[in-house]
Amino acid sequence: MMMDPRVLGLSLLALGLVGCGGETEEALSEEQASDYAALVGEWRVVGHQAPGISALSEEQAEAWLGARLRINAAWMALGEGFCEGVSHDAESRPVAELLADYRLDGESLPPLAGREEIIRHRLGCDGEPWPTLGGTLLWLGNDRLLAPWEGVFFELERDDGFRAYGNEPFWNLAIDADGLRFADPFSGFDMRTPLPEAESLEQGGRAYHAQAEAHELRVEILPETCHDSMAGAPFETTVTVILDGERFEGCGGAVPAF
């Protein structure tokens, strides 16, 4: 079932543990790029263009920047919008015909410049089209998508790695090659440290312990299925954050990369 997105900016996942830290090694073939599996992962909205008539204002379009579209083998989620009954179809379209569908000329959309064909993915939920951003995805490459919606073409980039967040209170945790970051968007608290060495837990997971100025942070990641407390979206791991003795519970999951 599709749930209406609420408080998008607070529900966006903000944790990234990059496995290889580099670009995709090689491009997928056209046949592979047409498969649903090519979309599996996490995608972040990094930009947008409105070359024609748009139903969204500039402010409304900018509000989607940073939003994360998560696509799993069996479900998809955007903010708090979540669907377990995903349908998919894909076809290769001539770029000229695609632009004509949107009443655009050949030079009005730079991401498609120089392309003769483009693979168009369409996603649905429970037999109905996905009603918001992400219902139509244009394949630009292993790490780039273009998502036309309401006259705006949103640019998405693959954001590989591990992600976690929690609700009530909202919090975001980021772990990547640059370090560890814990943030509470309501209070404005934002703690960043170099990446500490991971320690193994008896339960089979891992933990990170870090200190920055007057704050002490411990992160525990356990391989136990977790469901988001607001949207119900499933995650592969349960995540506990302890900041200066205060405990935060949430969910996290590894995002596969090609």
Side-chain angles (χ1 to χ4, degrees), residues 6 165-168 170 226-233 235 249-251:
R6 296 169 297 158
Y165 75 107
N167 303 310
E168 299 179 348
F170 292 102
C226 178
H227 286 79
D228 172 57
S229 61
M230 295 185 69
F235 290 80
E249 303 286 350
C251 302

Side-chain angles (χ1 to χ4, degrees), residues 207-249:
Y208 298 92
H209 184 266
Q211 286 185 298
E213 298 179 350
H215 301 290
E216 184 173 5
L217 184 73
R218 179 175 176 82
V219 178
E220 297 182 351
I221 303 171
L222 295 176
E224 300 174 352
T225 302
C226 178
H227 286 79
D228 172 57
S229 61
M230 295 185 69
F235 290 80
E236 294 85 355
T237 62
T238 296
V239 180
T240 300
V241 177
I242 303 173
L243 173 66
D244 299 332
E246 184 176 0
R247 193 179 185 90
F248 299 84
E249 303 286 350

